[in-house]
Amino acid sequence: MRSTSLLAFGALAAQALVLPQKVPDCATFGAGVALGAYDATLLNTTYYPIGSLNNSDVLNTVAFCEVYASISYGTGNDSLIFALWLPDVLDYDNRFMAVGNGGMAGVIDYANMMIQLNSGMGFAVAGGNAGHLASLNNGGGGAPGIYLPYLHDHDQVQAWIHDAISLFTPAAKALTAAYFGRQARYAYYDGCSTGGAQGFALAQLHPELFDGIYAGSPGNWYSHLALTFLWNAQHTNTSATYLTQAVLNFTGNAVLAACETIDGVHDGLIEDPLRCHFDIKSLACNGSYASTAPGTATTCLTPSQIAAVEAIYAGPVRSDNGTQLYPGFSFGSESAWLLQEGILAEAFSIPILQNLVYDNLAYNSSTFNWASNVADVDARAGSLIDEISPDLSAFRNRSGKMLVTQGWADPLNAATWPIKHLEQIEDFFNSDVSDFLNLFMVPGGGHCGAAQSYLGVPATYHTVAALVEWVERGVKPEELLSTDPPDGSKRTRKLCAWPATARFVGLDVNDWNSYVCE
C-alpha cells in the first residue's frame, strides 16, 4: 500500500510541475489577455468536446478550445483572421504548431489543423487565412479576365506568402502561453505547396519564430512556377501539340517500362528519374518503340507531340539566350501533365500577369515575351512572392531544422526544383547543409501526397514526428516512413534523404524495412 501511495504521490507531484494551477475556462478565456502589442483582437471562443467537430469526415480525437482572432497589418485596413486550437491540459505537450495555406489562400486550412491536433504530439495548433478573403477573390481561384483585389494590394500580396504565418504566430503563441500558464517550449510549422513556400519564407525572413519547419512540394519560386504553367500551356495549345490523357498514359507507361528497375526491383516506380535516360524519339511513329499492343488507342507519337513532350521535359527558357527559367518535368511524371496544358495557366499564370504584373485584365498572355517580359515578372511579382534566397544563416545559427519533401510525379511543381534550390543553398554555405535541412524525394509521389497514376504509393509522409525527434533529441532523419496508399493497401515505403535513394535488399517489396538508403 505504501509503495502504491508513493507512486501516486510522485505522479501527482510531477503533474503539478507542468500543469497550471487551475484548468483554463474556454468560455471566459481571453478577457484579460493583452493583445495590443500584436495588433490583435480576440473575436470569440468555442469549446469542442471529443468527436464534436467534423472536418471532411474527420472528427477531433482531442477536446479543445477554439479561439478566433484578427490581426491588423499594413498601411491600410487590412486584417488577417486566424484560428487557434488549444487542447485540454492533459493533451498538451508544450508544443506549438502553425499550419500554412494552399493555392491563393484566403481560407484557413482546417484539414491540416485537424491532422496536427489529432497527431498525438500534444500541439496547440494555429492557422490563418494569409491576410485576405477567398470570398472576395473569386472564391480563392484565379481565372482570365477576373479582378482579384488582393493582387492589387501591396500589403496583401506580401502577406500572402512572405508574411502570412509571421503575422499571426506571435499573437497565437501569446494566447497559448496565457491559456496554459507557460510558453510553449517548441514551435513547429507544417505547410505544403503555397504552404511549402511559406515555410521557406519563415526560414529566410522570419527565422526566429520556429524551431522546426516542414515544407512540402514547395512553390517558393512562385513567379517562375507560374511561368512554367504558361510555357507548358503555350507548347500544347494546338490540336497537333495537345497531349490527351491517352497520349500521356502511353508515354508514361513506356518510360516506366524502361526505367522502373533502376532500384533493383520491379515495383511500378522509378526510384531516381535522374538515372533514367529514355529517348522520347523512340516513341515516334517510325521509331523503335511504337506500340502494337492490341486494344491500345495510342500507339506512337507524332513529331508535333514529341516536340511538346520535349518542351515540358526542358522547362521554360529565355528566348534570347537560353537561360533556364525553371526546371522541366521528370521522367515518370508524364501521366500527370494534363493540368499543365492550360488549366494551371488560366488559374495562376494569367491572373498573376493580368492583376499583379501588368494591372490589365485585358492583357493577352500569348504575347508574353520570353526574354524582355521576364524582368517584369521578377520585378513586380518575384520581389513580393518568391522565397529563394540561399542565405538561411540566421535560421541555421539558431539551430533551426527544416524538412522538405517533393514528389517525382507532382502534377504542379517540377520535381527537380527543390533539388536545385538545395544545391544553391549548399553553394552559398560552401558545405553540406544536412545539419539543418534535409530533402526527401518521393518516387511516385504527387503534389502534397498521392499522384493519380500511382495509387499504390504510400502517400502519408511521417515528417512531423521526424522533425520533432530532430529538434528535441538531435536525431537527424536519414530516412522517412511513408504509409497509407490511396488504394487501401498496407504497403509502406522508405524515403531517403537526398541524394541517397532506396535500394531493395529484402524479401517483401511492400515493406519499407526491405530497403536501404544509399
Side-chain angles (χ1 to χ4, degrees):
M1 284 293 292
R2 184 182 179 191
S3 61
T4 302
S5 299
L6 286 173
L7 286 173
F9 175 79
L12 288 171
Q15 191 179 72
L17 291 175
V18 297
L19 295 182
Q21 298 198 355
K22 63 178 182 178
V23 176
D25 182 357
C26 182
T28 60
F29 173 66
V33 181
L35 295 175
Y38 309 103
D39 293 320
T41 302
L42 192 70
L43 301 178
N44 59 63
T45 61
T46 306
Y47 185 77
Y48 289 94
I50 293 175
S52 62
L53 183 63
N54 186 325
N55 184 278
S56 301
D57 295 326
V58 178
L59 300 176
N60 60 304
T61 59
V62 174
F64 67 96
C65 175
E66 178 179 68
V67 179
Y68 275 104
S70 67
I71 301 287
S72 297
Y73 72 93
T75 58
N77 296 317
D78 293 323
S79 64
L80 179 151
I81 305 298
F82 73 91
L84 173 63
W85 290 358
L86 300 162
D88 280 357
V89 170
L90 293 177
D91 293 309
Y92 178 59
D93 203 10
N94 219 24
R95 296 180 178 125
F96 174 84
M97 168 66 78
V99 304
N101 302 97
M104 290 190 167
V107 295
I108 298 171
D109 188 352
Y110 295 109
N112 195 7
M113 289 185 67
M114 187 70 82
I115 290 172
Q116 305 305 331
L117 181 76
N118 289 348
S119 68
M121 306 295 290
F123 293 124
V125 186
N129 67 358
H132 62 272
L133 295 175
S135 59
L136 299 179
N137 289 274
N138 199 45
I146 297 297
Y147 183 80
L148 300 176
Y150 89 99
L151 289 180
H152 297 266
D153 183 316
H154 178 278
D155 292 331
Q156 290 188 23
V157 174
Q158 186 162 303
W160 173 27
I161 302 176
H162 277 189
D163 300 330
I165 311 304
S166 67
L167 284 170
F168 72 78
T169 292
K173 284 183 175 180
L175 285 165
T176 301
Y179 192 75
F180 293 110
R182 63 193 186 279
Q183 296 285 344
R185 186 175 180 187
Y186 299 103
Y188 297 91
Y189 169 80
D190 185 289
C192 194
S193 190
T194 294
Q198 291 168 335
F200 272 94
L202 289 167
Q204 175 184 325
L205 303 171
H206 313 284
E208 76 286 353
L209 290 178
F210 292 93
D211 303 296
I213 294 172
Y214 166 63
S217 303
N220 56 312
W221 200 4
Y222 213 105
S223 65
H224 282 225
L225 175 61
L227 289 183
T228 295
F229 302 157
L230 183 63
W231 170 272
N232 292 336
Q234 289 184 352
H235 282 82
T236 55
N237 65 356
T238 69
S239 59
T241 58
Y242 185 75
L243 305 171
T244 66
Q245 189 62 57
V247 169
L248 295 175
N249 290 343
F250 166 72
T251 306
N253 289 337
V255 173
L256 188 62
C259 295
E260 69 162 311
T261 57
I262 287 174
D263 60 347
V265 61
H266 182 80
D267 60 355
L269 290 174
I270 302 176
E271 176 68 26
D272 181 4
L274 297 183
R275 294 166 57 195
C276 177
H277 302 290
F278 186 80
D279 182 5
I280 190 63
K281 289 185 174 63
S282 68
L283 299 185
C285 292
N286 60 353
S288 61
Y289 193 92
S291 174
T292 57
T296 301
T298 301
T299 60
C300 58
L301 300 184
T302 67
S304 295
Q305 290 171 330
I306 288 177
V309 170
E310 289 177 330
I312 296 175
Y313 283 145
V317 296
R318 286 183 64 104
S319 58
D320 54 353
N321 58 23
T323 300
Q324 187 87 43
L325 298 173
Y326 203 79
F329 280 71
S330 306
F331 287 126
S333 65
E334 298 82 1
S335 60
W337 290 356
L338 199 62
L339 291 175
Q340 294 289 334
E341 302 184 60
I343 294 175
L344 290 171
E346 292 189 351
F348 291 95
S349 313
I350 297 173
I352 287 174
L353 289 170
Q354 291 180 338
N355 286 272
L356 180 58
V357 177
Y358 294 115
D359 193 13
N360 176 10
L361 295 183
Y363 173 77
N364 184 354
S365 63
S366 67
T367 67
F368 185 83
N369 187 301
W370 288 93
S372 60
N373 290 158
V374 174
D376 298 336
V377 172
D378 290 340
R380 301 169 191 171
S383 61
L384 293 174
I385 64 176
D386 292 343
E387 304 77 31
I388 57 175
S389 171
D391 183 1
L392 303 181
S393 301
F395 183 68
R396 186 187 204 183
N397 290 342
R398 64 177 302 274
S399 300
K401 309 300 182 187
M402 188 170 190
L403 292 181
V404 181
T405 61
Q406 174 62 55
W408 278 113
D410 191 329
L412 277 68
N413 195 29
T416 58
W417 161 244
I419 295 176
K420 292 185 181 298
H421 189 45
L422 174 61
E423 292 170 350
Q424 293 167 354
I425 296 170
E426 289 172 334
D427 288 344
F428 173 84
F429 286 102
N430 194 30
S431 70
D432 173 66
V433 296
S434 65
D435 63 301
F436 84 101
L437 194 160
N438 269 343
L439 166 66
F440 292 83
M441 301 300 293
V442 186
H447 192 68
C448 303
Q452 190 60 38
S453 297
Y454 294 95
L455 297 181
V457 172
T460 297
Y461 317 136
H462 293 246
T463 50
V464 172
L467 191 59
V468 168
E469 281 288 302
W470 197 8
V471 167
E472 300 181 18
R473 297 175 181 84
V475 181
K476 183 174 75 172
E478 303 290 352
E479 57 190 37
L480 284 180
L481 168 66
S482 59
T483 61
D484 304 314
D487 67 3
S489 66
K490 300 299 182 182
R491 186 182 194 185
T492 59
R493 187 80 182 186
K494 181 169 292 186
L495 306 178
C496 301
W498 185 262
T501 56
R503 183 171 66 86
F504 180 68
V505 295
L507 299 175
D508 184 357
V509 298
N510 295 319
D511 183 357
W512 82 307
N513 292 306
S514 294
Y515 299 82
V516 294
C517 293
E518 58 182 28

